[in-house]
Amino acid sequence: HVNISRNTARSTLFQIVLFLVLLAAALFWQRNNIADLYLSGEINPVGWLLNGVIIILFLLGMLRIISLLLSYSTEHGILERLVESANDGVNDPTSDLPEDGLAVQRYQFVQDMARQGNPVDQGALASSLSTSEQSRFTLVRYVNSILILLGVFGTVVSLSIALIGASSLLDSPEGANKMGMIIGGMSSALSTTMTAIVCFVIYAYFYLRLNNARAQLLNGIESMTAIHLLPNLMHTESSLLRQVGELTTALNKSTERLTEVQQHFITAADHLNAAVLRQSKSSGISDETLQEFKELLREGFRLPTPSVKATGTASAGDHIPTITQPVAKR
């Protein structure tokens, strides 16, 4: 049985929609506090730049995750239809499915290899498919790796700006105007750290869900290959031994049946021969007519031709008893 009943990609897409709704509600509820934190004017331009880079990378990664989830949800549906058609015994389960589907491509590849008489290495196919899917995760993995580092980088840069302002303040007794730089640097450090942590927590969850959807799809394709494709196309030592055993059992049964049928034919031939003998004794039949009956019986029941001795009697191995016909009275 192929375990493809649960579509993780579809459920993850539903979770993303639910999360966006909850996020919009939370932003509306805490709009005043968020405005005081980000729009108070205390964040310096460097802080705004770093926050903008973090948010843009987060949105790009989420868009890529949504795109991959949509693709995996479609692939999961194709796999379900292919397995259902294979279970129903359809001659070509891929006739109504898109040709670019991963499950359809695997099915066609295995069929082509079987028609050419080449062996199919499922391990190599699984490794190739996994590598191909990993190449689609470049942007997603990059954002997942760099997101939290941007928050740390923003914190370090903002604290450096604050320290520069503090050193200027200490060097000059008239440097009270440098307090704005210190406050702006501290505010930027706090905002970039918070932005990066919140974005990373959200992104990491959906990244793990995407990996689960990919693993489930690949597992379904490999299960479909092992259960529905290879047993019907490839012959291993165990499968050949099983088929030979089944054929031997069927041949033994057929031999027994043929022996029974042959015995029935021999018995019927004996009865017919006895009936002819009785009829010839009662009514009188010539030797030529009796010989014609015997030839017809042999031909009809596929009996061997007896070896005739000089006396005109059949050998002991003949199934039809030798009939000694009395000469008809004139």
Side-chain angles (χ1 to χ4, degrees), residues 143-153 193 196-198 200-201:
V143 174
N144 184 72
S145 302
I146 204 68
L147 200 58
I148 195 67
L149 294 179
L150 283 176
V152 175
F153 177 75
T193 302
I197 290 176
V198 172
F200 181 77
V201 168

Side-chain angles (χ1 to χ4, degrees), residues 28-79:
F28 180 78
W29 178 44
Q30 296 292 330
R31 61 186 183 278
N32 294 328
N33 295 329
I34 294 174
D36 292 338
L37 178 62
Y38 287 94
L39 303 178
S40 60
E42 296 179 352
I43 301 177
N44 55 41
V46 176
W48 280 112
L49 177 63
L50 293 174
N51 282 323
V53 171
I54 292 172
I55 293 175
I56 289 174
L57 280 176
F58 169 75
L59 293 177
L60 286 176
M62 288 300 299
L63 288 176
R64 182 57 177 167
I65 287 178
I66 293 174
S67 174
L68 290 173
L69 287 173
L70 289 172
S71 174
Y72 286 156
S73 180
T74 303
E75 294 287 351
H76 193 279
I78 293 174
L79 178 61

